[in-house]
Amino acid sequence: MSDNRQKTSHHLLRSIRNFFSQEPLWKLFSLAAAIFTWFIVMNIINPTEIKTFQAEVTLENLSSLTNKGYVVSNIEDIKNYSVTVKVQATRPALDELSESENKNNIKAKVDLSKLEINDAEEFPKTYSVAIVPTLPSNLYIYNYDVASYYPTICSVEIDRSVSKTVPVELKTYGSPASGYVSEYPVSDIEEVTVTGPESKISQVSKVTATIDITGSKENITDDCPLTVYDHDDNALEGFTVDPQSINVSVEVRKNHTIKIEEPRTTGSLPEHLELLSVEWSPKTIEVTGEGENAPESITLPPIDLTNIRSTTTQIVDISDILENSNLKASSSQKRVTVTIKVGLTNSEKYVITPDIIHITGLSDAYEAEISDSVTAEIGGAGNIDVASLRPTVNLTGLSEGTHSVPLTLTLPEGAVLSNEIKVNVTIKKKAANNTAEPVTEEPAETQSTTSETHEEDSTSSDNSQ
């Protein structure tokens, strides 16, 4: 019996010795033992550590103030508060808390329902409210303790709540796709109500709604949040807007270049005139239309030649033409200038000498001289008496020197002057002995009437005698 036990013991020892003599199995056993030891140390006998975190201040139960007609006037400053929170826990627990989705949920809460406000007090007034740090609620696997935190008090400024109506300014962000343009944004709401601290409400100037049109090829409508701004276009915090957002629409249209066809003519010119040319400008315009398709050209209304007696320029409004084609253009592109140039088929030339040219508008301190004759080519009337044309030059505002001045003619009905005529007029100061006041001659008709009056008086006197 004893021999059997000895043999069994000897066999067991030899088996263990053979097992550990094999190097791979020994390494595997060592690794398992190390992992087990680490697990025991980290989860059973691991000591706690302290790690520091930063937490943002959040206001709780804000409605407890707004329902009573109060508002937090330093809410922008409170948002910049940072509370240092020291958390005590095991290393695995702290590692878990340090992950970004957990770390960002460490909060420092300020419960506004704890405030006791006396309406008889003078506002704005600052209150000291306790800060209470909180950790994420999803970390229930580990135990955490807040070792300490600072600051422990938050200064909250309370003011009475007031409202005012302000205009809404609509803006766009970005640009539409290449080859497209956007119209001005529009909305059904032009004014909104802004509510905030009584001591700061005067800073509010406007509210803006911005719609993003980046890369757009079609009309956009979006619900846009509203932002409050002061007179210097600085965004303001601590105000509420009713409504908080509005619908904004922007029309996005495709750019097109279309041709303007040569206008046709109707009616006839007088016999002594012929049509030389019809010129128009611009010949193409930039327009916008819905979608990719647009007409290649538009046609202007016909030009009636019946009442044209000389070269004439007309301004044609094409707004209706564009609208009927569902096109839009800038105001400068909605007018087309059409020039109808005409010439004379038969005419006569009349020489106008300086002695029959009337001078008007000349200052008394000057005298004028016209030395050269000019020729007027006139069509549409024959055998014109040159004097009946009453050639006239107006020298108003001119001083010493030689000037080229337009000659004005009084034409018979139906007559046409082929080209504008200009004459050279030399203006000089009068000599010193010629500066006396000129004697104004009585018109011949007046003299005749006066003479007749004297004769009648004489005759009456003779008869009375």
Side-chain angles (χ1 to χ4, degrees):
M1 188 70 175
S2 176
D3 292 339
N4 290 335
R5 288 178 178 176
Q6 288 180 353
K7 288 181 181 180
T8 302
S9 176
H10 179 73
H11 180 73
L12 178 61
L13 290 173
R14 187 173 55 185
S15 299
I16 294 173
R17 186 167 52 252
N18 291 337
F19 175 80
F20 285 111
S21 65
Q22 299 179 27
E23 184 175 350
L25 293 176
W26 174 250
K27 290 181 178 179
L28 181 62
F29 176 78
S30 299
L31 177 61
I35 293 173
F36 178 76
T37 302
W38 177 87
F39 180 80
I40 295 297
V41 171
M42 295 301 294
N43 292 276
I44 298 177
I45 63 174
N46 181 37
T48 60
E49 299 178 0
I50 294 178
K51 190 169 184 178
T52 301
F53 298 90
Q54 298 296 320
E56 296 179 356
V57 173
T58 60
L59 298 178
E60 299 286 319
N61 298 314
L62 185 60
S63 60
S64 64
L65 291 178
T66 56
N67 292 339
K68 297 176 183 178
Y70 297 102
V71 67
V72 178
S73 57
N74 66 332
I75 195 168
E76 186 174 0
D77 296 333
I78 292 175
K79 287 183 178 180
N80 295 326
Y81 273 29
S82 180
V83 177
T84 301
V85 181
K86 294 185 176 182
V87 179
Q88 184 175 1
T90 61
R91 181 177 296 176
L94 293 175
D95 289 343
E96 182 76 11
L97 184 60
S98 298
E99 294 183 4
S100 57
E101 66 270 16
N102 295 323
K103 179 174 60 176
N104 293 336
N105 284 321
I106 300 175
K107 303 296 182 183
K109 297 182 178 180
V110 175
D111 189 356
L112 297 177
S113 65
K114 306 294 185 183
L115 283 177
E116 295 183 2
I117 301 175
N118 183 357
D119 192 58
E121 294 178 323
E122 187 173 337
F123 293 92
K125 183 177 180 180
T126 302
Y127 295 83
S128 295
V129 186
I131 298 175
V132 179
T134 61
L135 302 179
S137 59
N138 61 319
L139 301 177
Y140 52 84
I141 300 177
Y142 300 102
N143 293 322
Y144 297 92
D145 290 318
V146 176
S148 64
Y149 63 93
Y150 183 84
T152 60
I153 298 296
C154 177
S155 296
V156 180
E157 187 179 80
I158 305 299
D159 200 354
R160 288 189 175 90
S161 176
V162 294
S163 301
K164 69 182 292 188
T165 301
V166 296
V168 176
E169 182 179 291
L170 305 178
K171 294 183 177 181
T172 58
Y173 174 80
S175 301
S178 178
Y180 290 79
V181 295
S182 61
E183 302 292 336
Y184 290 108
V186 295
S187 176
D188 293 335
I189 298 178
E190 298 180 351
E191 293 182 331
V192 294
T193 300
V194 176
T195 302
E198 183 179 27
S199 59
K200 297 182 179 180
I201 196 70
S202 61
Q203 299 177 15
V204 176
S205 171
K206 63 184 177 183
V207 170
T208 64
T210 302
I211 184 170
D212 189 354
I213 61 171
T214 304
S216 300
K217 292 184 177 181
E218 56 187 18
N219 298 342
I220 303 174
T221 298
D222 198 5
D223 188 51
C224 301
L226 298 172
T227 305
V228 182
Y229 285 89
D230 64 10
H231 299 278
D232 297 322
D233 286 336
N234 299 313
L236 297 175
E237 299 286 345
F239 293 89
T240 60
V241 184
D242 184 25
Q244 296 180 349
S245 60
I246 61 173
N247 278 330
V248 180
S249 300
V250 176
E251 188 177 5
V252 178
R253 301 172 66 87
K254 174 71 174 174
N255 261 334
H256 301 280
T257 300
I258 62 174
K259 179 182 177 182
I260 300 177
E261 300 289 351
E262 179 179 358
R264 63 185 181 88
T265 60
T266 61
S268 301
L269 292 169
E271 292 182 358
H272 61 280
L273 294 179
E274 63 177 343
L275 180 63
L276 299 180
S277 66
V278 177
E279 299 176 359
W280 71 104
S281 176
K283 290 183 169 56
T284 62
I285 58 172
E286 298 292 330
V287 299
T288 60
E290 294 182 359
E292 298 290 335
N293 298 322
E296 294 184 358
S297 64
I298 60 173
T299 302
L300 297 176
I303 304 299
D304 187 2
L305 302 178
T306 304
N307 297 318
I308 291 179
R309 295 293 180 266
S310 61
T311 295
T312 303
T313 298
Q314 298 179 356
I315 305 298
V316 180
D317 190 333
I318 60 173
S319 299
D320 291 342
I321 299 175
L322 296 176
E323 185 176 348
N324 293 336
S325 300
N326 197 26
L327 300 174
K328 288 186 177 181
S330 64
S331 57
S332 62
Q333 295 275 294
K334 293 181 180 179
R335 304 287 186 273
V336 178
T337 302
V338 179
T339 301
I340 303 96
K341 291 187 175 182
V342 298
L344 296 172
T345 57
N346 55 76
S347 62
E348 294 184 15
K349 295 181 179 180
Y350 300 88
V351 176
I352 301 175
T353 57
D355 58 299
I356 64 171
I357 297 177
H358 300 273
I359 296 176
T360 62
L362 183 64
S363 171
D364 292 339
Y366 297 99
E367 58 185 4
E369 179 182 354
I370 302 173
S371 56
D372 298 325
S373 299
V374 292
T375 301
E377 185 177 358
I378 301 174
N383 301 320
I384 297 175
D385 180 6
V386 176
S388 68
L389 296 174
R390 297 187 60 81
T392 305
V393 290
N394 188 346
L395 306 183
T396 301
L398 300 180
S399 58
E400 283 187 280
T402 300
H403 308 273
S404 180
V405 183
L407 181 69
T408 302
L409 301 178
T410 302
L411 299 176
E413 184 178 358
V416 178
L417 182 66
S418 63
N419 294 297
E420 182 185 40
I421 303 173
K422 289 189 175 183
V423 295
N424 292 325
V425 182
T426 301
I427 301 176
K428 299 179 180 179
K429 279 190 176 181
K430 291 181 178 179
N433 58 352
N434 292 333
T435 57
E437 288 290 332
V439 177
T440 303
E441 295 184 2
E442 214 172 19
E445 184 180 350
T446 304
Q447 291 178 354
S448 175
T449 303
T450 305
S451 176
E452 291 174 359
T453 303
H454 287 313
E455 290 178 2
E456 289 177 5
D457 291 344
S458 176
T459 304
S460 301
S461 175
D462 292 341
N463 291 335
S464 64
Q465 293 175 358

